[in-house]
Amino acid sequence: MKITVKMGAPLSQVIGEKKVILSMPDGATLADVLGELGARYPDFEEGLKGKGLRKPFDRILYSLFVNARPVALEQAGETALADGDRISLFLPVAGG
């Protein structure tokens, strides 16, 4: 099945791609996609922790979305995907 992954900056700058289309086996989860991205892009894990920011963190900063619905990182292994799903990884926005 084909899964589209969109990434915001600075993660997209760290791995060199704003959008990636993956072919995943049927029954793949969000955790499987994150694992595949980590295998393809050596700096992916560090990018999720803010590599490219002035001060990287020791935890994952990015918010995860599947088809524009938020998904907690802790639920990634339980979040089944379907052909054509769109995953987005963006830094949370704050301000007012």
Side-chain angles (χ1 to χ4, degrees), residues 3-93:
I3 304 294
T4 301
V5 183
K6 291 185 178 182
M7 292 164 270
L11 179 60
S12 60
Q13 296 163 338
V14 168
I15 68 163
E17 304 279 349
K18 289 183 180 182
K19 180 168 107 173
V20 176
I21 298 175
L22 299 174
S23 291
M24 299 296 294
D26 288 342
T29 66
L30 179 55
D32 295 328
V33 168
L34 295 175
E36 178 66 22
L37 291 169
R40 285 184 184 209
Y41 303 100
D43 287 337
F44 179 73
E45 294 287 329
E46 291 303 310
L48 285 177
K49 295 178 183 177
K51 181 176 180 177
L53 296 174
R54 277 188 260 166
K55 183 182 176 191
F57 290 77
D58 60 354
R59 61 182 174 83
I60 293 177
L61 300 175
Y62 280 75
S63 296
L64 306 173
F65 300 87
V66 175
N67 299 323
R69 292 194 170 109
V71 177
L73 180 62
E74 297 80 26
Q75 296 175 332
E78 304 161 10
T79 304
L81 301 174
D83 187 46
D85 279 353
R86 296 174 320 277
I87 297 171
S88 303
L89 301 157
F90 293 101
L91 284 174
V93 178

